[in-house]
PDB file of all heavy atoms in Angstrom:
ATOM      1  N   PRO O 191     -20.060  -2.773  20.811  1.00 89.00           N
ATOM      2  CA  PRO O 191     -20.667  -3.542  21.902  1.00 89.00           C
ATOM      3  C   PRO O 191     -19.655  -4.429  22.637  1.00 89.00           C
ATOM      4  O   PRO O 191     -18.852  -5.111  22.011  1.00 89.00           O
ATOM      5  CB  PRO O 191     -21.706  -4.417  21.186  1.00 89.00           C
ATOM      6  CG  PRO O 191     -21.975  -3.715  19.900  1.00 89.00           C
ATOM      7  CD  PRO O 191     -20.676  -3.085  19.501  1.00 89.00           C
ATOM      8  N   LYS O 192     -19.705  -4.382  23.964  1.00 88.00           N
ATOM      9  CA  LYS O 192     -18.940  -5.332  24.787  1.00 88.00           C
ATOM     10  C   LYS O 192     -19.830  -6.534  25.037  1.00 88.00           C
ATOM     11  O   LYS O 192     -20.275  -6.797  26.156  1.00 88.00           O
ATOM     12  CB  LYS O 192     -18.522  -4.673  26.099  1.00 88.00           C
ATOM     13  CG  LYS O 192     -17.471  -3.594  25.938  1.00 88.00           C
ATOM     14  CD  LYS O 192     -17.057  -3.073  27.300  1.00 88.00           C
ATOM     15  CE  LYS O 192     -16.030  -1.970  27.171  1.00 88.00           C
ATOM     16  NZ  LYS O 192     -15.662  -1.424  28.482  1.00 88.00           N
ATOM     17  N   ASP O 193     -20.078  -7.240  23.971  1.00 87.00           N
ATOM     18  CA  ASP O 193     -21.047  -8.330  23.981  1.00 87.00           C
ATOM     19  C   ASP O 193     -20.392  -9.556  23.359  1.00 87.00           C
ATOM     20  O   ASP O 193     -19.859  -9.488  22.243  1.00 87.00           O
ATOM     21  CB  ASP O 193     -22.290  -7.899  23.181  1.00 87.00           C
ATOM     22  CG  ASP O 193     -23.302  -9.007  23.032  1.00 87.00           C
ATOM     23  OD1 ASP O 193     -24.010  -9.299  24.009  1.00 87.00           O
ATOM     24  OD2 ASP O 193     -23.378  -9.590  21.928  1.00 87.00           O
ATOM     25  N   ALA O 194     -20.412 -10.671  24.066  1.00 89.00           N
ATOM     26  CA  ALA O 194     -19.708 -11.874  23.622  1.00 89.00           C
ATOM     27  C   ALA O 194     -20.245 -12.395  22.289  1.00 89.00           C
ATOM     28  O   ALA O 194     -19.478 -12.826  21.421  1.00 89.00           O
ATOM     29  CB  ALA O 194     -19.809 -12.960  24.691  1.00 89.00           C
ATOM     30  N   GLU O 195     -21.553 -12.323  22.113  1.00 88.00           N
ATOM     31  CA  GLU O 195     -22.153 -12.820  20.868  1.00 88.00           C
ATOM     32  C   GLU O 195     -21.715 -11.960  19.683  1.00 88.00           C
ATOM     33  O   GLU O 195     -21.356 -12.483  18.623  1.00 88.00           O
ATOM     34  CB  GLU O 195     -23.679 -12.805  20.987  1.00 88.00           C
ATOM     35  CG  GLU O 195     -24.379 -13.389  19.762  1.00 88.00           C
ATOM     36  CD  GLU O 195     -25.891 -13.412  19.907  1.00 88.00           C
ATOM     37  OE1 GLU O 195     -26.390 -13.049  20.998  1.00 88.00           O
ATOM     38  OE2 GLU O 195     -26.574 -13.788  18.934  1.00 88.00           O
ATOM     39  N   PHE O 196     -21.715 -10.643  19.873  1.00 90.00           N
ATOM     40  CA  PHE O 196     -21.283  -9.750  18.798  1.00 90.00           C
ATOM     41  C   PHE O 196     -19.799  -9.960  18.492  1.00 90.00           C
ATOM     42  O   PHE O 196     -19.383  -9.979  17.329  1.00 90.00           O
ATOM     43  CB  PHE O 196     -21.536  -8.289  19.164  1.00 90.00           C
ATOM     44  CG  PHE O 196     -20.988  -7.310  18.159  1.00 90.00           C
ATOM     45  CD1 PHE O 196     -21.638  -7.087  16.961  1.00 90.00           C
ATOM     46  CD2 PHE O 196     -19.788  -6.638  18.404  1.00 90.00           C
ATOM     47  CE1 PHE O 196     -21.120  -6.200  16.011  1.00 90.00           C
ATOM     48  CE2 PHE O 196     -19.264  -5.763  17.468  1.00 90.00           C
ATOM     49  CZ  PHE O 196     -19.935  -5.537  16.277  1.00 90.00           C
ATOM     50  N   ALA O 197     -18.988 -10.105  19.536  1.00 90.00           N
ATOM     51  CA  ALA O 197     -17.546 -10.307  19.351  1.00 90.00           C
ATOM     52  C   ALA O 197     -17.275 -11.570  18.548  1.00 90.00           C
ATOM     53  O   ALA O 197     -16.402 -11.591  17.661  1.00 90.00           O
ATOM     54  CB  ALA O 197     -16.850 -10.370  20.704  1.00 90.00           C
ATOM     55  N   SER O 198     -18.029 -12.621  18.834  1.00 88.00           N
ATOM     56  CA  SER O 198     -17.874 -13.877  18.104  1.00 88.00           C
ATOM     57  C   SER O 198     -18.283 -13.702  16.643  1.00 88.00           C
ATOM     58  O   SER O 198     -17.623 -14.223  15.725  1.00 88.00           O
ATOM     59  CB  SER O 198     -18.715 -14.967  18.763  1.00 88.00           C
ATOM     60  OG  SER O 198     -18.628 -16.178  18.047  1.00 88.00           O
ATOM     61  N   TYR O 199     -19.354 -12.933  16.433  1.00 87.00           N
ATOM     62  CA  TYR O 199     -19.825 -12.681  15.073  1.00 87.00           C
ATOM     63  C   TYR O 199     -18.791 -11.872  14.299  1.00 87.00           C
ATOM     64  O   TYR O 199     -18.516 -12.138  13.126  1.00 87.00           O
ATOM     65  CB  TYR O 199     -21.162 -11.943  15.120  1.00 87.00           C
ATOM     66  CG  TYR O 199     -21.924 -11.980  13.820  1.00 87.00           C
ATOM     67  CD1 TYR O 199     -22.880 -12.967  13.581  1.00 87.00           C
ATOM     68  CD2 TYR O 199     -21.676 -11.054  12.814  1.00 87.00           C
ATOM     69  CE1 TYR O 199     -23.577 -13.025  12.372  1.00 87.00           C
ATOM     70  CE2 TYR O 199     -22.356 -11.098  11.612  1.00 87.00           C
ATOM     71  CZ  TYR O 199     -23.301 -12.082  11.400  1.00 87.00           C
ATOM     72  OH  TYR O 199     -23.971 -12.139  10.195  1.00 87.00           O
ATOM     73  N   PHE O 200     -18.193 -10.868  14.970  1.00 91.00           N
ATOM     74  CA  PHE O 200     -17.146 -10.056  14.354  1.00 91.00           C
ATOM     75  C   PHE O 200     -15.975 -10.942  13.920  1.00 91.00           C
ATOM     76  O   PHE O 200     -15.472 -10.837  12.797  1.00 91.00           O
ATOM     77  CB  PHE O 200     -16.665  -8.992  15.347  1.00 91.00           C
ATOM     78  CG  PHE O 200     -15.486  -8.171  14.864  1.00 91.00           C
ATOM     79  CD1 PHE O 200     -15.691  -6.956  14.238  1.00 91.00           C
ATOM     80  CD2 PHE O 200     -14.182  -8.623  15.029  1.00 91.00           C
ATOM     81  CE1 PHE O 200     -14.621  -6.199  13.786  1.00 91.00           C
ATOM     82  CE2 PHE O 200     -13.107  -7.879  14.580  1.00 91.00           C
ATOM     83  CZ  PHE O 200     -13.322  -6.662  13.958  1.00 91.00           C
ATOM     84  N   HIS O 201     -15.535 -11.811  14.813  1.00 90.00           N
ATOM     85  CA  HIS O 201     -14.424 -12.721  14.543  1.00 90.00           C
ATOM     86  C   HIS O 201     -14.698 -13.557  13.293  1.00 90.00           C
ATOM     87  O   HIS O 201     -13.883 -13.629  12.371  1.00 90.00           O
ATOM     88  CB  HIS O 201     -14.209 -13.621  15.759  1.00 90.00           C
ATOM     89  CG  HIS O 201     -13.258 -14.756  15.536  1.00 90.00           C
ATOM     90  ND1 HIS O 201     -13.685 -15.981  15.052  1.00 90.00           N
ATOM     91  CD2 HIS O 201     -11.911 -14.861  15.719  1.00 90.00           C
ATOM     92  CE1 HIS O 201     -12.645 -16.794  14.946  1.00 90.00           C
ATOM     93  NE2 HIS O 201     -11.561 -16.137  15.346  1.00 90.00           N
ATOM     94  N   ASP O 202     -15.874 -14.187  13.250  1.00 87.00           N
ATOM     95  CA  ASP O 202     -16.210 -15.075  12.136  1.00 87.00           C
ATOM     96  C   ASP O 202     -16.367 -14.296  10.825  1.00 87.00           C
ATOM     97  O   ASP O 202     -15.943 -14.764   9.763  1.00 87.00           O
ATOM     98  CB  ASP O 202     -17.497 -15.844  12.443  1.00 87.00           C
ATOM     99  CG  ASP O 202     -17.335 -16.788  13.620  1.00 87.00           C
ATOM    100  OD1 ASP O 202     -16.179 -17.059  14.009  1.00 87.00           O
ATOM    101  OD2 ASP O 202     -18.361 -17.236  14.175  1.00 87.00           O
ATOM    102  N   ALA O 203     -16.975 -13.108  10.920  1.00 87.00           N
ATOM    103  CA  ALA O 203     -17.204 -12.304   9.715  1.00 87.00           C
ATOM    104  C   ALA O 203     -15.884 -11.832   9.105  1.00 87.00           C
ATOM    105  O   ALA O 203     -15.705 -11.868   7.882  1.00 87.00           O
ATOM    106  CB  ALA O 203     -18.090 -11.102  10.043  1.00 87.00           C
ATOM    107  N   LEU O 204     -14.945 -11.417   9.958  1.00 89.00           N
ATOM    108  CA  LEU O 204     -13.656 -10.941   9.445  1.00 89.00           C
ATOM    109  C   LEU O 204     -12.857 -12.079   8.816  1.00 89.00           C
ATOM    110  O   LEU O 204     -12.297 -11.931   7.723  1.00 89.00           O
ATOM    111  CB  LEU O 204     -12.857 -10.278  10.562  1.00 89.00           C
ATOM    112  CG  LEU O 204     -11.469  -9.733  10.167  1.00 89.00           C
ATOM    113  CD1 LEU O 204     -11.564  -8.827   8.949  1.00 89.00           C
ATOM    114  CD2 LEU O 204     -10.828  -9.002  11.337  1.00 89.00           C
ATOM    115  N   LEU O 205     -12.820 -13.229   9.475  1.00 87.00           N
ATOM    116  CA  LEU O 205     -12.079 -14.356   8.910  1.00 87.00           C
ATOM    117  C   LEU O 205     -12.709 -14.840   7.606  1.00 87.00           C
ATOM    118  O   LEU O 205     -12.006 -15.190   6.650  1.00 87.00           O
ATOM    119  CB  LEU O 205     -12.005 -15.498   9.922  1.00 87.00           C
ATOM    120  CG  LEU O 205     -11.182 -15.243  11.196  1.00 87.00           C
ATOM    121  CD1 LEU O 205     -11.074 -16.518  12.010  1.00 87.00           C
ATOM    122  CD2 LEU O 205      -9.787 -14.722  10.864  1.00 87.00           C
TER     123      LEU O 205
END
Side-chain angles (χ1 to χ4, degrees):
K192 290 184 181 178
D193 175 76
E195 184 178 356
F196 174 77
S198 178
Y199 197 93
F200 175 94
H201 170 272
D202 295 345
L204 180 52
L205 293 187

